[in-house]
Amino acid sequence: MKLRKVTAASAVVLALAVSVTACGGDKKDDASGGKKIKIGIKFDQPGLGLKQPDGSFSGFDVDVATYVAKQLGYQPNQIEWVETKSADRENALQRGDVKFIAATYSITDERKQKVDFAGPYLLAHQDLLVKKGSDITKGTDLNSKKLCSVTGSTSAQNVQKTIAPKANLRPLSGYSECVAGLQSGAVDALTTDDSILAGFAAQDKYKGQFQLAGLKLSNENYGIGVKKGDSATVDKINKALEKMVSDKSWDKAVAKNFGPAHYKNEPAPKIGDIVK
């Protein structure tokens, strides 16, 4: 009788173990094309990848990723959004945490050694965000002006080295802090990718207050990151991006997310260009 109790208890434990293992397997399958798909995005960039107070997500990267996922066979309710900060993007792909990443992910030779890219799906440029009506209309106007960028970023340093050697650099912990400083007058300009600047300028609380200088200080080709060696997924995503451009969904996403900031975006780049 005592032996039966032990056996019954063991059976329960075994059943639970099998259940947990099965759940873990399903979760792993999510990132590789099961009933769910995990996609990496930014959670803190208005206009590109932003988690809303109600838990929903918005932005150009989100719209692009949603369109691509649909072409891969996933509806919006089958997407699990995963925050992928810049420093962890390569690791997230290598670990298999996500199927792909759309998070202002500039294609560079160094990154192509670690991950594969589909796209590019947007050509951005380093630019300046200034108050509307500002006298800063060209790079040299930044001399003796207070220029903000995020701590650790090379954007402001590039401006100081190549355009305005007398610019007064004011690094802050995040773009939101820089935008608040621009609004209060604590800084005169903010520099980073124009797509990111346009996203902040398009926020309801800032509408009409800022403008982009339109300087095009660099070329930043945003690609969709995929685990190294997964050429099949790269090909599928490229086909999805080509369709997004051809059916004008790309144009609609640009107007929706950047239009309020009067962002003068480049035409959709040629898919497959520069990623090899």
Side-chain angles (χ1 to χ4, degrees), residues 14-199:
L14 179 60
L16 288 172
V18 171
S19 176
V20 170
T21 302
C23 290
D26 289 342
K27 196 168 186 179
K28 185 177 180 181
D29 287 342
D30 287 348
S32 58
K35 295 182 179 179
K36 294 271 188 182
I37 184 169
K38 292 183 178 180
I39 302 174
I41 58 170
K42 294 289 183 66
F43 278 20
D44 59 353
Q45 289 184 343
L48 288 153
L50 183 68
K51 185 175 183 178
Q52 303 286 358
D54 64 359
S56 62
F57 297 88
S58 66
F60 183 71
D61 284 348
V62 174
D63 289 345
V64 169
T66 301
Y67 187 99
V68 168
K70 187 172 183 180
Q71 298 305 307
L72 296 181
Y74 299 91
Q75 296 303 314
N77 63 358
Q78 293 176 294
I79 298 173
E80 181 179 340
W81 301 109
V82 178
E83 183 176 22
T84 48
K85 296 183 178 181
S86 296
D88 195 45
R89 287 178 296 202
E90 287 82 18
N91 290 333
L93 287 170
Q94 291 169 357
R95 291 191 303 259
D97 295 345
V98 294
K99 184 67 173 178
F100 64 81
I101 293 176
T104 59
Y105 206 178
S106 295
I107 301 169
T108 67
D109 289 338
E110 181 181 0
R111 288 170 177 163
K112 285 192 287 185
Q113 302 303 312
K114 301 176 181 178
V115 303
D116 286 337
F117 284 100
Y121 64 91
L122 183 72
L123 172 58
H125 306 282
Q126 184 184 341
D127 199 359
L128 303 175
L129 187 68
V130 297
K131 278 191 173 181
K132 195 168 186 179
S134 170
D135 59 356
I136 299 174
T137 58
K138 56 185 182 298
T140 54
D141 291 337
L142 288 169
N143 282 309
S144 301
K145 299 289 188 179
K146 297 181 288 292
L147 177 62
C148 190
S149 192
V150 172
T151 302
S153 169
T154 60
S155 298
Q157 295 173 7
N158 290 340
V159 170
Q160 191 181 54
K161 289 179 181 178
T162 62
I163 300 173
K166 295 182 180 179
N168 186 357
L169 305 189
R170 297 290 179 87
L172 293 176
S173 59
Y175 293 120
S176 295
E177 288 80 1
C178 282
V179 174
L182 182 60
Q183 185 181 39
S184 69
V187 298
D188 300 302
L190 161 61
T191 186
T192 188
D193 295 357
D194 54 6
S195 57
I196 297 173
L197 298 176

